[in-house]
């Protein structure tokens, strides 16, 4: 790691081993109900998108009143706002009412955001305004408004509007040991909504959306110091930007989200659940794990796609460092193979790229599905999940395709080398010769097959290392520039399928492929150079046994 991260706060809480949206929501709801009523609203803001409205919001806060925002108007923030008055149980509410907060170029920076000190910030919860000098705010223990040893549970709620960075490297709020809550807020053309110094817990994002147009490193929340109990629910991020970047997080739920990259570094008890991660939109890794404990639950993970021969990122990447290994569990997840263009080659679902002793991946109920654009929302069973890794990891995966294809497996190095083991007892059905039916798919894909007869032959490799008899040749004539659809049926839970493709009546294969067996019936699309995202190998790479 290149980040020069500060050591985690000595005031860390105990690890949160579990976290529920209901628990966090109930706690915060109770806190909301317990707050004293705020004073009358104030209507002193210009809202013309040009006049600096930050002083008006600061004056309202100082007076204990709330500013009024009118729908469809733009409020320019070009100087910092400090939430620094007692009592520290006071929660300030900015109900934008459909308005936009436009962040200006004269906002200050803070060196406390060590990852990128050039970022400018609009609002500083729980930091004294006297910490502002010469274009910088000293966010530190000494400048904490509530005192060095006391934080505020939550000091700011922002709801129902847009925060617009105008494409600049600007952030909205940089907290000093105090939590924030965002409800139905759009971040547009900006770096981040929230980051913080020292320790901060119980931050909440509900139905927030990170729109593109700003820095490529943009996320809704960028954690750089210790914190517990983050909740992100029903949020979305455009494919060019991210959802969350977390460091030293202990206990987080990222629930029911769409797209959006998630990066976790030195974190534990992180749950990503009910997500729909559309990797093909940006050919990006969706979940980047570094020395962390993560559970990915009931989530659809799209494989990255590109033309054959391109090096593609995995949907989930593991890159450990130091002495802390990652533990990643995929529970009831789906590997999504969306074939949208000709001859798609797809990246891996999971790739262990920089493992250390103890790095492990466990899958429970993992399935793999394939769909094409012309068929719409119809998904069919596809070859087993694509798991990759470096050196010994890759060797163990290739040698254990049966375990991978089962969807219930563990990849780990318990000492003495990498191994893949199946965590459920395989079936004992009698093995049999696989069969294939070949046809032209309705609508088809734009492939590179020529309008000539193609023949296919299959053989199954069983878990005991023996091979079934090879199937008879099955043929079909492909449309020029089209594809062929193969529906493969297997028996007895084979470890892998070997498939040969022949041109015309030739008995010498022109292409060969070995892939996980997957389900008893699986659908494959031959687009010419790829078979459902797996690149064909040239020639007769392995003889029929």
């Amino acid at each position: 790691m290149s980040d020069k991260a500060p050591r985690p706060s000595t005031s860390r809480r105990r690890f949160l081993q579990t976290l529920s949206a209901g628990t966090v929501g109930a706690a915060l709801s109770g806190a909301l109900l317990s707050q004293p009523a705020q004073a009358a609203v104030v209507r002193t803001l210009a809202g013309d998108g040009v006049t600096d409205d930050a002083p008006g919001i600061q004056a309202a806060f100082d007076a204990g009143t709330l500013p009024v925002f009118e729908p469809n108007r733009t409020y320019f923030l070009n100087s910092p706002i400090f939430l620094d008055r007692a009592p520290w149980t006071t929660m300030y509410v900015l109900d934008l009412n459909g308005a936009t907060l436009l962040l200006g170029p004269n906002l200050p920076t803070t060196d406390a955001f060590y990852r990128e000190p050039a970022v400018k910030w609009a609002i500083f919860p729980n930091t004294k305004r006297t910490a502002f000098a010469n274009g910088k705010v000293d966010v530190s223990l000494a400048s904490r408004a509530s005192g060095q040893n006391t934080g505020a549970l939550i000091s700011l709620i922002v709801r129902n509007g847009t925060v617009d960075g105008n494409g600049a490297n600007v952030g909205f709020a940089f907290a000093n040991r105090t939590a924030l809550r965002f409800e139905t807020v759009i971040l547009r053309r900006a770096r981040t909504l929230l980051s913080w110094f020292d320790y901060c817990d119980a931050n909440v994002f509900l139905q927030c959306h990170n729109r593109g147009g700003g820095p490529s490193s943009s996320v809704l929340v960028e954690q750089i110091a210790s914190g517990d109990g983050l909740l992100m629910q029903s949020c979305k991020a455009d494919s060019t930007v991210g959802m969350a970047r977390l460091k030293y997080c202990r206990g987080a739920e990222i629930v029911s989200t769409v797209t959006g990259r998630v990066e976790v570094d030195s974190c534990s008890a992180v749950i990503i659940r009910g997500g729909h991660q559309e990797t093909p939109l940006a050919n990006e890794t969706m979940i980047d794990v570094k020395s962390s404990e993560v559970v990915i639950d009931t989530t659809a993970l799209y494989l990255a796609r590109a033309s054959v021969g391109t090096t593609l990122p995995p949907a989930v990447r593991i890159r450990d460092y130091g002495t802390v290994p990652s533990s990643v569990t995929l529970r009831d997840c789906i590997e999504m193979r969306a074939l949208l263009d000709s001859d798609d080659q797809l990246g891996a679902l999971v790739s262990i790229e920089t493992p250390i002793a103890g790095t492990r991946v466990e899958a429970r109920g993992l399935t793999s599905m394939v769909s094409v654009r012309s068929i719409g929302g119809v998904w069919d069973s596809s070859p087993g999940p694509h798991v990759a890794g470096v050196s010994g990891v890759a060797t163990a995966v290739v040698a254990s395709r049966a375990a991978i294809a089962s969807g219930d497996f563990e990849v780990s190095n318990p000492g003495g080398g990498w191994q893949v083991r199946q965590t459920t007892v395989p079936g004992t059905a009698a093995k049999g010769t696989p069969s294939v039916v070949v046809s032209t798919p309705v609508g088809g894909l734009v492939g590179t097959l020529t309008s000539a007869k193609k023949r296919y032959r299959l053989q199954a490799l069983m878990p005991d290392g023996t091979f079934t008899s090879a199937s008879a040749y099955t043929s079909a004539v492909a449309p020029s520039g089209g594809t062929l659809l193969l529906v493969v049926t297997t028996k007895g839970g084979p470890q892998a399928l070997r498939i040969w493709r022949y041109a015309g009546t030739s008995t010498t294969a022109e292409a060969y492929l070995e892939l996980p067996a997957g389900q008893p019936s699986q659908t494959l699309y031959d687009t010419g150079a790829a078979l459902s995202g797996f690149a064909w190998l040239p020639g007769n790479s392995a003889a029929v046994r």
Side-chain angles (χ1 to χ4, degrees), residues 57-72:
I57 297 174
Q58 182 72 71
F61 173 79
D62 293 345
T65 59
L66 296 176
V68 169
F69 300 93
E70 298 182 21
N72 304 317

Side-chain angles (χ1 to χ4, degrees), residues 94-345:
L94 297 180
D95 192 335
L96 301 182
N97 194 27
T100 295
L101 300 180
L102 179 62
L103 309 186
N106 293 328
L107 295 172
T109 62
T110 177
D111 289 338
F113 190 63
Y114 65 86
R115 183 164 287 156
E116 201 173 342
V119 177
K120 298 180 178 181
W121 301 87
I123 190 165
F124 293 86
N126 203 23
T127 292
K128 299 175 184 177
R129 66 194 69 187
T130 54
F132 176 39
N134 301 318
K136 286 187 178 183
V137 176
D138 174 28
V139 182
S140 63
L141 292 175
S143 67
R144 182 176 296 155
S146 60
Q148 294 190 14
N149 299 316
T150 304
L153 173 62
I154 180 168
S155 59
L156 177 65
I157 300 172
V158 185
R159 57 167 70 112
N160 305 330
T162 297
V163 174
D164 192 339
N166 200 28
N169 197 19
V170 291
F172 178 66
F174 192 82
N176 194 348
R177 195 169 182 180
T178 182
L180 276 70
R181 180 182 177 104
F182 296 90
E183 303 172 5
T184 323
V185 175
I186 297 172
L187 178 67
R188 183 169 178 261
R189 307 185 299 173
R191 176 66 168 77
T192 187
L193 275 177
L194 173 65
S195 188
W196 63 82
F197 167 77
D198 192 47
Y199 177 84
C200 187
D201 60 6
N203 289 293
V204 178
F205 295 77
L206 301 177
Q207 288 190 309
C208 294
H209 187 181
N210 188 11
R211 301 291 301 271
S216 60
S217 57
S218 173
V219 287
L220 289 173
V221 56
E222 173 127 11
Q223 178 182 353
I224 60 170
S226 299
D228 302 345
L230 170 70
L231 173 64
M232 303 186 76
Q233 184 170 333
S234 300
C235 295
K236 181 176 181 178
D238 289 353
S239 62
T240 57
V241 292
M243 185 77 67
R245 187 174 295 113
L246 309 180
K247 192 175 181 72
Y248 308 133
C249 182
R250 299 180 303 276
E253 274 198 343
I254 302 176
V255 187
S256 302
T257 57
V258 179
T259 318
R261 297 190 298 274
V262 176
E263 301 175 28
V264 292
D265 182 350
S266 305
C267 299
S268 60
V270 174
I271 299 176
I272 300 171
R273 185 174 65 196
H276 188 234
Q277 310 290 345
E278 300 182 39
T279 304
L281 295 177
N283 282 346
E284 293 278 357
T285 288
M286 285 296 99
I287 303 175
D288 201 327
V289 181
K290 301 174 183 177
S291 297
S292 297
E293 298 174 6
V294 181
V295 173
I296 307 169
D297 188 358
T298 323
T299 291
L301 293 156
Y302 282 73
L303 302 189
R305 59 182 177 82
S307 57
V308 170
T310 302
T311 300
L312 293 169
V316 180
R317 174 184 282 128
I318 299 173
R319 296 181 290 173
D320 289 344
Y321 65 98
T323 59
V324 179
S326 285
S327 174
V328 177
T329 301
L330 295 104
R331 190 165 58 200
D332 297 322
C333 292
I334 307 176
E335 176 196 85
M336 309 295 274
R337 297 172 168 269
L339 303 182
L340 303 182
D341 295 308
S342 63
D343 288 344
D344 282 337
Q345 179 175 325

Side-chain angles (χ1 to χ4, degrees), residues 20-47:
S20 70
T23 302
V24 174
L28 290 175
S29 297
L32 282 169
L33 292 173
S34 67
Q35 301 310 309
Q38 302 213 329
V41 298
V42 61
R43 302 175 183 271
T44 58
L45 305 182

